[in-house]
Amino acid sequence: MTAVVDTPTPTPTPTPHRTYSRWTALVVLCAGTLMTILDGNIVTVAMPAVQSDLGFSGPGLAWVVNAYLIPFGGLLLLVGRLGDLVGRKRMFAAGLAVFTAASVLCGLATGQGMLIAARALQGVGGAMTSAVVLGMLVALFPEPREQARAIAVFSAVGAGGGALGTFLGGALTQALNWHWIFLINLPIGIVALLAAIRVLAPEDGEGLGRGADYPGAALVTGALMLTVYVIVGSGDRAPATTLVLALAAVALFTAFTLRQARAARPLLRLRLFGSRLLSGANAVQILMIATMYGFQFLGALYLQRVLGFGELLTGTAFLPAPVVIGVLMLGLSARTIGRFGPYRVLLAGLGLIVAGMALLSRAPADGSYLADVLPPLLLLSVGFAAAMPALTGLAMSGAREEDAGVASGLFNTTQVVGGSLGLAVLSVLAAGRTEGLLADGAEVVSATAEGYQLAFRVGAAVAAGALGLAAVVLRPRGRA
């Protein structure tokens, strides 16, 4: 009888799984964020050229900026939640595609209506891209030390991109024309989109079946859009009209809150606001960003209208900011936060911002860049480089994993609200002071300089408020 020998069945070779580099993914996320941030600032220096070419009136020109800010700020919470449901990679990639296509439409615009409509579409794409980035970053780097490094890199790109946008806006407008401040996004957007599809790890999300509370989404989107509209257009309307619109926004927010308390699947879980770190960090950010946006806008106007700088020279004058911010955030920020803790680093950074704004409030009509602008610019850059990563880490540490997308959208929303608020309030104060002095017979340059001085003093007070709020609300409790 012949023995039968069992031959072992060969084990099939497993199909190798594709590996995804977290740090490469971070580069892609930063590239997408940089494109949206650059575009938010690149427009400011080119505004006179846009006005001259397309025939905008003074109030009408503001809508080149407002048309972007309103959908951007209004949609962040909704698309942040949708990113949790459909997958943050899908939302990020779709946002890049929408933003890039809208940028081309902006660059090809030959009339006011086309440009404003394309800018609104840009705001939609920017919201889709920005709302999910922090949630993806926190998921990629759960370990605290690595997360601090990643947030430092991300914050450096965001902060440096703002000042770099001012330079590029002046350079492209002067060397070519204003259309190229938008068309430059086409090659950048295509590369970023292809890299996102290739590099970012796929994720399924919770599924649309979990629901996004669309009635609540409609309420909060309307409330946020109306809030941004009230803020950015406050200087062009009668006070009574502004009050009515503000009350309408409050009513929408109240209805949204009641809806979230009762909804089976709320868009924004109200327990998020029970996190002292998340709520406190967002409140501090509103005040800090209000100060920084006001400085960036009014600082550029001071250089142009008081010191007589041209577009390119104004952009060049801001270049030390992204250099300082990038060096400090990439080289020192994570290690400093790891050694001293985010709370202490945040307070130190806010203190430098207060000092920088106070010093800038002394800039006279016969001032100079080296003596009156560069020193406060460096103080503000160092302060922001310290404060922003620490504040971001504190905010996101107060959110659970399943809420990361909404928490990221909320953090970006408060940035928009703070920036819009600071820009509107400080601009109105500067203009009011200047107009009053001109009515009294003051010389134009002197009156303009004093208007900016008042705005910078108020900005210093707002930054001091952020410092005081952070010291009280974000103080560590117990032992970490």
Side-chain angles (χ1 to χ4, degrees), residues 393-406:
L394 287 169
M396 295 306 293
S397 68
R400 302 178 185 179
E401 168 61 24
E402 64 268 24
D403 296 324
V406 175

PDB file of all heavy atoms in Angstrom, residues 393-406:
ATOM      1  N   GLY A 393      -2.515  73.746  19.024  1.00  0.00           N
ATOM      2  CA  GLY A 393      -2.417  72.499  19.773  1.00  0.00           C
ATOM      3  C   GLY A 393      -3.397  72.449  20.932  1.00  0.00           C
ATOM      4  O   GLY A 393      -4.027  71.418  21.181  1.00  0.00           O
ATOM      5  N   LEU A 394      -3.555  73.561  21.650  1.00  0.00           N
ATOM      6  CA  LEU A 394      -4.504  73.603  22.755  1.00  0.00           C
ATOM      7  C   LEU A 394      -5.930  73.408  22.262  1.00  0.00           C
ATOM      8  O   LEU A 394      -6.722  72.686  22.882  1.00  0.00           O
ATOM      9  CB  LEU A 394      -4.378  74.945  23.491  1.00  0.00           C
ATOM     10  CG  LEU A 394      -3.135  75.118  24.361  1.00  0.00           C
ATOM     11  CD1 LEU A 394      -3.004  76.572  24.816  1.00  0.00           C
ATOM     12  CD2 LEU A 394      -3.185  74.197  25.575  1.00  0.00           C
ATOM     13  N   ALA A 395      -6.278  74.040  21.139  1.00  0.00           N
ATOM     14  CA  ALA A 395      -7.642  73.925  20.618  1.00  0.00           C
ATOM     15  C   ALA A 395      -7.959  72.499  20.194  1.00  0.00           C
ATOM     16  O   ALA A 395      -8.998  71.936  20.560  1.00  0.00           O
ATOM     17  CB  ALA A 395      -7.835  74.882  19.446  1.00  0.00           C
ATOM     18  N   MET A 396      -7.070  71.890  19.424  1.00  0.00           N
ATOM     19  CA  MET A 396      -7.348  70.555  18.908  1.00  0.00           C
ATOM     20  C   MET A 396      -7.227  69.483  19.978  1.00  0.00           C
ATOM     21  O   MET A 396      -7.827  68.407  19.856  1.00  0.00           O
ATOM     22  CB  MET A 396      -6.423  70.247  17.729  1.00  0.00           C
ATOM     23  CG  MET A 396      -6.658  71.133  16.513  1.00  0.00           C
ATOM     24  SD  MET A 396      -8.375  71.148  15.931  1.00  0.00           S
ATOM     25  CE  MET A 396      -8.555  69.458  15.357  1.00  0.00           C
ATOM     26  N   SER A 397      -6.482  69.740  21.051  1.00  0.00           N
ATOM     27  CA  SER A 397      -6.388  68.757  22.132  1.00  0.00           C
ATOM     28  C   SER A 397      -7.697  68.662  22.903  1.00  0.00           C
ATOM     29  O   SER A 397      -7.911  67.708  23.650  1.00  0.00           O
ATOM     30  CB  SER A 397      -5.255  69.127  23.090  1.00  0.00           C
ATOM     31  OG  SER A 397      -5.560  70.318  23.802  1.00  0.00           O
ATOM     32  N   GLY A 398      -8.576  69.643  22.719  1.00  0.00           N
ATOM     33  CA  GLY A 398      -9.856  69.610  23.413  1.00  0.00           C
ATOM     34  C   GLY A 398     -10.955  68.920  22.639  1.00  0.00           C
ATOM     35  O   GLY A 398     -12.117  68.938  23.058  1.00  0.00           O
ATOM     36  N   ALA A 399     -10.636  68.280  21.494  1.00  0.00           N
ATOM     37  CA  ALA A 399     -11.648  67.619  20.665  1.00  0.00           C
ATOM     38  C   ALA A 399     -11.364  66.128  20.582  1.00  0.00           C
ATOM     39  O   ALA A 399     -10.207  65.700  20.540  1.00  0.00           O
ATOM     40  CB  ALA A 399     -11.664  68.220  19.258  1.00  0.00           C
ATOM     41  N   ARG A 400     -12.424  65.321  20.531  1.00  0.00           N
ATOM     42  CA  ARG A 400     -12.276  63.886  20.326  1.00  0.00           C
ATOM     43  C   ARG A 400     -12.009  63.605  18.852  1.00  0.00           C
ATOM     44  O   ARG A 400     -12.259  64.423  17.990  1.00  0.00           O
ATOM     45  CB  ARG A 400     -13.557  63.166  20.773  1.00  0.00           C
ATOM     46  CG  ARG A 400     -13.926  63.406  22.221  1.00  0.00           C
ATOM     47  CD  ARG A 400     -15.228  62.688  22.555  1.00  0.00           C
ATOM     48  NE  ARG A 400     -15.668  62.986  23.913  1.00  0.00           N
ATOM     49  CZ  ARG A 400     -16.794  62.504  24.442  1.00  0.00           C
ATOM     50  NH1 ARG A 400     -17.584  61.722  23.726  1.00  0.00           N
ATOM     51  NH2 ARG A 400     -17.130  62.814  25.678  1.00  0.00           N
ATOM     52  N   GLU A 401     -11.557  62.377  18.575  1.00  0.00           N
ATOM     53  CA  GLU A 401     -11.230  61.994  17.207  1.00  0.00           C
ATOM     54  C   GLU A 401     -12.432  62.129  16.283  1.00  0.00           C
ATOM     55  O   GLU A 401     -12.321  62.625  15.169  1.00  0.00           O
ATOM     56  CB  GLU A 401     -10.704  60.553  17.191  1.00  0.00           C
ATOM     57  CG  GLU A 401     -10.601  59.924  15.799  1.00  0.00           C
ATOM     58  CD  GLU A 401      -9.659  60.659  14.871  1.00  0.00           C
ATOM     59  OE1 GLU A 401      -8.746  61.357  15.365  1.00  0.00           O
ATOM     60  OE2 GLU A 401      -9.849  60.557  13.646  1.00  0.00           O
ATOM     61  N   GLU A 402     -13.624  61.695  16.760  1.00  0.00           N
ATOM     62  CA  GLU A 402     -14.796  61.748  15.891  1.00  0.00           C
ATOM     63  C   GLU A 402     -15.272  63.175  15.641  1.00  0.00           C
ATOM     64  O   GLU A 402     -16.079  63.417  14.737  1.00  0.00           O
ATOM     65  CB  GLU A 402     -15.947  60.930  16.492  1.00  0.00           C
ATOM     66  CG  GLU A 402     -16.474  61.453  17.829  1.00  0.00           C
ATOM     67  CD  GLU A 402     -15.792  60.826  19.026  1.00  0.00           C
ATOM     68  OE1 GLU A 402     -14.637  60.358  18.868  1.00  0.00           O
ATOM     69  OE2 GLU A 402     -16.385  60.802  20.114  1.00  0.00           O
ATOM     70  N   ASP A 403     -14.788  64.119  16.433  1.00  0.00           N
ATOM     71  CA  ASP A 403     -15.167  65.527  16.266  1.00  0.00           C
ATOM     72  C   ASP A 403     -14.062  66.351  15.631  1.00  0.00           C
ATOM     73  O   ASP A 403     -14.166  67.579  15.560  1.00  0.00           O
ATOM     74  CB  ASP A 403     -15.517  66.147  17.627  1.00  0.00           C
ATOM     75  CG  ASP A 403     -16.732  65.504  18.263  1.00  0.00           C
ATOM     76  OD1 ASP A 403     -17.658  65.144  17.514  1.00  0.00           O
ATOM     77  OD2 ASP A 403     -16.761  65.360  19.498  1.00  0.00           O
ATOM     78  N   ALA A 404     -12.992  65.690  15.171  1.00  0.00           N
ATOM     79  CA  ALA A 404     -11.824  66.444  14.699  1.00  0.00           C
ATOM     80  C   ALA A 404     -12.153  67.330  13.509  1.00  0.00           C
ATOM     81  O   ALA A 404     -11.674  68.461  13.407  1.00  0.00           O
ATOM     82  CB  ALA A 404     -10.687  65.483  14.346  1.00  0.00           C
ATOM     83  N   GLY A 405     -12.981  66.832  12.582  1.00  0.00           N
ATOM     84  CA  GLY A 405     -13.327  67.621  11.409  1.00  0.00           C
ATOM     85  C   GLY A 405     -14.106  68.871  11.774  1.00  0.00           C
ATOM     86  O   GLY A 405     -13.822  69.973  11.284  1.00  0.00           O
ATOM     87  N   VAL A 406     -15.101  68.716  12.652  1.00  0.00           N
ATOM     88  CA  VAL A 406     -15.891  69.868  13.072  1.00  0.00           C
ATOM     89  C   VAL A 406     -15.042  70.831  13.896  1.00  0.00           C
ATOM     90  O   VAL A 406     -15.147  72.052  13.739  1.00  0.00           O
ATOM     91  CB  VAL A 406     -17.126  69.399  13.880  1.00  0.00           C
ATOM     92  CG1 VAL A 406     -17.895  70.592  14.416  1.00  0.00           C
ATOM     93  CG2 VAL A 406     -18.029  68.551  13.007  1.00  0.00           C
TER      94      VAL A 406
END
